[in-house]
Amino acid sequence: MDISTLFAAVAVAAPHSGAIIHLHGIDWAILVVYLLFVVGIGIITGRGSKTSEDFFLSGRSLPAWITGLAFISANLGALEVMGMSQQGYEYGMMTANYYWIGAIPAIVFMGIAMMPFFYGSKVRSVPEFLKKRYNEGARFINAFTFAVFTPAISGISMYALAVVMQDFLGWHFAQSVWVSALVVLVYTFMGGLTASIYNEVLQFFLIVLGIAPMTIIALIANHGWAHFKKWIATHQLPFLTPDQVAAAAAKPGTAVHQMPATQWMHTFQNTLTQNNPMHITWPGVVLGLGFVLSFSYWCTNFLVVQRALAAKDMNSAQRTPLLAAFPKMIFPFIVILPGLLALPLLPHLFPGNTTVNGHLIPATESFNNVMPLMMAKYYPAGLLGLGLTALMASFMSGMAGNVTAFNTVFTYDLYAVFIKPNAPDKHYLWVGRIMTIVGIVISVGFAYVVRGQSGIMGYTQTIFGVVNAPLIAVFLLGMFATFTTPAGGLWGLLVGTATSVTLWIIRSYPGLPLWHHYNNNTTGAFWGAVWAFCAGAGATIVVSLFTKKKKDEELVGLVYQLTPKPPQDANLPWWKKPIVLGVLALVLTLILNLLFW
Amino acid sequence: MMDLRLPIGIFFVLVGLIMVGYGVVSPHDIPHITEKVNINLYWGIVLLVFGAPMTLFGWKAEAKAKAEMKAKKL
């Protein structure tokens, strides 16, 4: 799961008997070719998986362009494609903050500053880094929460996709869930991380080439960008608080506040106050999203770090996130822009606009489903097959990413430590394959649980963010300060997480103390993350002052000050130098921010 | 290990050919817009333009790797 999807409201459409989209033979042909290819890649790469390191880390052998594209694709779940286009409609270009503030700076920091320690220390997982830097307790907390939440998030993504397929294509929920789970199972079971990464790269190109035509078609349908801006300049759009959304959904026709649609064209305008579509202020965006949540996700989440650990050498590992930063920064034009451009084309998707000619519009026609609705309206047979296959690919890449990260953390950090240490490598390879099946079965199970109680969905994603938020404090103090101690790291994790969870509970129950209440969930989550970071960092520092630190020799390769700088290869061309790529990515992101300021 | 460009290239060449063929045999314009655009034909060509060089580079790299393996064995 991605930070950008963390707050994305998810499609919770009511089951719908009649299909909105009817597929033709050509659409099926494209879908079948795709399924044959992903399974084929699994079978071919499976032949190379002979040791546990082959299976869990691709034998640390892949070039940077492959791991870089897999880095983006693994967290590009169906929820991102659906959720970001929805937010493009609901909030406009402000949604791009999830990319230009909430992703790129952290990705660049990861590549330049943190990757040398992850890759250089030869750890096999993020929890293992915590064990080496701090202690077994820190590893356990991180591994346990990761192993619990990763399949759950995957199940939520599966549920969301199955609902879309049910509502738009008339497919049975069980069919969508089991067919997609079975395909992912076949290729991850056979080829492990290599199959997952290879397919993630294929899926990356498929998602781009299947969804990018939507931006082009939406521009044609709007008679060009200039014409669209004229529409924006002359219209007002609903300015929705969560309470208003709920009220409008419960009672169609409820009046909501309006604001000029021009506000939808900016990322930061009017963020001194909350008078903007997202109701957020800039310090919350910069500190909460841009620093704590973003760095916690992109720099410490094993789902993304694992792709870089599969790289063939240190330079490739560093370039994995850096190369990923470039496509990531243009993704808003593929996933957010279609939602924004849909405003004049599908004008009735806001809550409160739920009647046309006095008839209730089905729940499927809410902004949650703006992407499939646009596809249904503008994609003819053929392109429709490509678009739907891209949606399915986005879901599968996310699920395979989650499952391969889950089986690695479970095998290396829980099973091999607490259940059966010192077993032969073949045994761990076997456990990894079994856990691939278990991970997928748990995901499917969770898809059914969520189906029964859709309220759980929002909670699980929020809690994942809440649990993740304090991590970066402990990692930064571990990598860039020598005085932090094992007990300091452990208590930093505990206090940070406890603070984060407590603040979330306070925000969830209006009857509790008022000082941490915000008038929308996004702002609350941003500030909750900031306070959790402060508490985690504070606890790490204070406990470290009174407890015993590890010997310096044990920290070589793990802490900046104690690690000899690797010799710089002067012969590297400029486009292979991490610092050059990092600066270039930041400059381009700054330009994008200024263009849409 | 297999050069990844090869399967990706072949996949997009296949899907590109399917779309171009469909665009020629059964021209569909983009629905609900005034301009006439045979999108399957044009986008199929885009997929071919992407897939063909990928296939070529992947195939060349595979052939080179195989030749090197053979030389090593000898």
Side-chain angles (χ1 to χ4, degrees):
Chain A
M1 187 196 57
D2 185 354
I3 282 297
S4 52
T5 60
L6 197 62
F7 304 103
V10 182
V12 194
H16 195 253
S17 54
I20 295 172
I21 297 173
H22 294 282
L23 293 186
H24 292 71
I26 182 177
D27 303 318
W28 283 106
I30 294 170
L31 186 60
V32 169
V33 169
Y34 164 74
L35 293 176
L36 289 176
F37 263 76
V38 288
V39 171
I41 286 175
I43 293 170
I44 292 170
T45 51
R47 292 182 200 149
S49 283
K50 299 210 163 44
T51 67
S52 70
E53 194 156 285
D54 289 337
F55 189 75
F56 293 122
L57 294 170
S58 297
R60 299 186 196 261
S61 63
L62 301 180
W65 75 272
I66 290 181
T67 50
L69 292 179
F71 185 90
I72 307 180
S73 197
N75 59 74
L76 185 69
L79 288 181
E80 176 161 345
V81 176
M82 299 277 295
M84 287 296 105
S85 51
Q86 173 221 317
Q87 295 208 19
Y89 191 98
E90 193 177 357
Y91 306 128
M93 286 309 291
M94 279 198 118
T95 314
N97 283 329
Y98 287 118
Y99 293 79
W100 299 336
I101 297 288
I104 307 295
I107 290 175
V108 169
F109 183 80
M110 160 74 162
I112 290 177
M114 292 179 78
M115 191 47 73
F117 304 107
F118 281 133
Y119 195 88
S121 61
K122 294 283 168 206
V123 294
R124 297 168 301 182
S125 69
V126 167
E128 191 176 347
F129 179 87
L130 286 175
K131 153 76 174 69
K132 284 193 168 185
R133 177 59 184 89
Y134 294 114
N135 57 21
E136 204 63 81
R139 157 148 72 181
F140 177 77
I141 294 172
N142 187 231
F144 182 76
T145 49
F146 189 82
V148 168
F149 281 103
T150 307
I153 296 298
S154 168
I156 289 172
S157 186
M158 183 184 267
Y159 162 79
L161 182 93
V163 168
V164 170
M165 294 301 174
Q166 177 179 282
D167 291 339
F168 284 82
L169 300 174
W171 294 358
H172 286 296
F173 184 85
Q175 268 175 353
S176 304
V177 165
W178 285 105
V179 168
S180 47
L182 202 66
V183 172
V184 173
L185 174 65
V186 168
Y187 73 76
T188 48
F189 181 84
M190 304 207 53
L193 185 65
T194 309
S196 179
I197 286 182
Y198 269 37
N199 275 323
E200 279 156 16
V201 177
L202 172 69
Q203 286 150 349
F204 168 81
F205 287 116
L206 181 58
I207 294 162
V208 171
L209 290 166
I211 293 172
M214 182 50 79
T215 305
I216 300 167
I217 291 173
L219 277 170
I220 298 173
N222 273 297
H223 307 292
W225 183 245
H227 200 269
F228 171 72
K229 279 175 81 175
K230 267 188 205 160
W231 185 94
I232 286 283
T234 52
H235 283 77
Q236 298 262 321
L237 290 168
F239 168 64
L240 299 167
T241 63
D243 292 345
Q244 286 178 328
V245 173
K251 196 178 171 194
T254 304
V256 292
H257 298 297
Q258 304 256 320
M259 67 161 56
T262 47
Q263 187 69 58
W264 264 243
M265 303 295 280
H266 298 279
T267 52
F268 266 98
Q269 203 178 64
N270 291 335
T271 49
L272 281 176
T273 65
Q274 290 190 351
N275 195 24
N276 54 65
M278 267 189 174
H279 319 272
I280 45 176
T281 52
W282 70 268
V285 178
V286 174
L287 287 176
L289 173 65
F291 179 54
V292 181
L293 285 168
S294 165
F295 277 65
S296 287
Y297 178 74
W298 292 103
C299 301
T300 73
N301 193 308
F302 184 55
L303 172 65
V304 287
V305 176
Q306 189 180 23
R307 271 70 204 150
L309 293 185
K312 62 182 178 181
D313 53 32
M314 174 68 89
N315 179 264
S316 300
Q318 282 197 281
R319 282 190 295 132
T320 295
L322 296 170
L323 290 177
F326 293 94
K328 188 78 184 170
M329 75 177 72
I330 55 169
F331 250 78
F333 299 109
I334 299 172
V335 292
I336 297 174
L337 211 49
L340 178 65
L341 289 166
L343 283 165
L345 306 173
L346 301 170
H348 299 293
L349 305 186
F350 278 106
N353 279 331
T354 46
T355 58
V356 168
N357 302 331
H359 295 293
L360 273 178
I361 293 177
T364 30
E365 295 192 26
S366 93
F367 52 36
N368 291 332
N369 287 330
V370 63
M371 181 61 87
L373 284 170
M374 287 286 280
M375 281 186 183
K377 185 170 180 184
Y378 293 108
Y379 272 18
L383 190 60
L384 187 61
L386 186 70
L388 287 173
T389 308
L391 271 187
M392 195 164 250
S394 71
F395 155 72
M396 284 187 182
S397 65
M399 181 178 188
N402 279 312
V403 169
T404 47
F406 164 79
N407 66 20
T408 307
V409 165
F410 183 88
T411 307
Y412 280 153
D413 295 301
L414 295 173
Y415 185 84
V417 177
F418 300 104
I419 300 172
K420 193 166 183 180
N422 306 319
D425 186 69
K426 268 200 170 159
H427 179 73
Y428 294 130
L429 177 61
W430 178 80
V431 172
R433 287 197 202 270
I434 298 294
M435 290 320 291
T436 306
I437 302 174
V438 172
I440 286 178
V441 170
I442 297 174
S443 300
V444 170
F446 217 86
Y448 277 94
V449 171
V450 176
R451 190 190 187 196
Q453 293 193 310
S454 56
I456 290 177
M457 183 156 57
Y459 280 125
T460 314
Q461 295 212 47
T462 310
I463 292 172
F464 190 76
V466 164
V467 172
N468 243 339
L471 283 177
I472 191 64
V474 177
F475 273 89
L476 287 180
L477 284 166
M479 282 184 180
F480 300 100
T482 52
F483 71 90
T484 42
T485 65
L490 179 64
W491 279 101
L493 278 179
L494 288 172
V495 172
T497 309
T499 308
S500 199
V501 172
T502 309
L503 292 178
W504 172 67
I505 293 170
I506 291 175
R507 289 199 301 276
S508 307
Y509 293 95
L512 291 171
L514 283 172
W515 57 270
H516 191 62
H517 280 292
Y518 298 89
N519 66 354
N520 77 82
N521 295 335
T522 312
T523 306
F526 288 174
W527 282 109
V530 173
W531 300 129
F533 172 87
C534 294
T540 308
I541 293 169
V542 170
V543 174
S544 292
L545 292 177
F546 299 102
T547 50
K548 193 167 172 257
K549 60 180 256 186
K550 280 189 172 180
K551 289 181 191 141
D552 282 358
E553 305 89 84
E554 294 176 66
L555 300 178
V556 174
L558 304 167
V559 181
Y560 179 79
Q561 291 86 336
L562 301 172
T563 306
K565 295 222 168 30
Q568 293 294 318
D569 187 351
N571 296 326
L572 275 180
W574 66 267
W575 47 271
K576 279 194 171 181
K577 288 184 176 158
I579 190 76
V580 176
L581 291 172
V583 170
L584 189 62
L586 289 178
V587 169
L588 290 173
T589 309
L590 182 67
I591 292 171
L592 285 169
N593 270 307
L594 292 176
L595 280 176
F596 288 90
W597 188 262
Chain B
M1 205 181 295
M2 168 182 60
D3 190 289
L4 180 55
R5 284 169 294 186
L6 194 61
I8 291 179
I10 295 173
F11 174 78
F12 281 104
V13 166
L14 268 178
V15 177
L17 284 175
I18 293 174
M19 286 181 68
V20 167
Y22 190 69
V24 172
V25 176
S26 167
H28 276 67
D29 293 319
I30 301 170
H32 304 290
I33 63 167
T34 44
E35 292 85 351
K36 298 264 176 226
V37 185
N38 185 346
I39 187 78
N40 282 327
L41 176 65
Y42 295 139
W43 203 253
I45 292 171
V46 170
L47 298 188
L48 286 176
V49 167
F50 173 75
M54 284 286 253
T55 311
L56 191 70
F57 289 129
W59 179 72
K60 273 191 166 176
E62 278 282 290
K64 198 177 157 193
K66 269 187 190 159
E68 276 171 9
M69 285 266 278
K70 218 175 179 182
K72 260 187 195 171
K73 274 184 187 168
L74 287 174

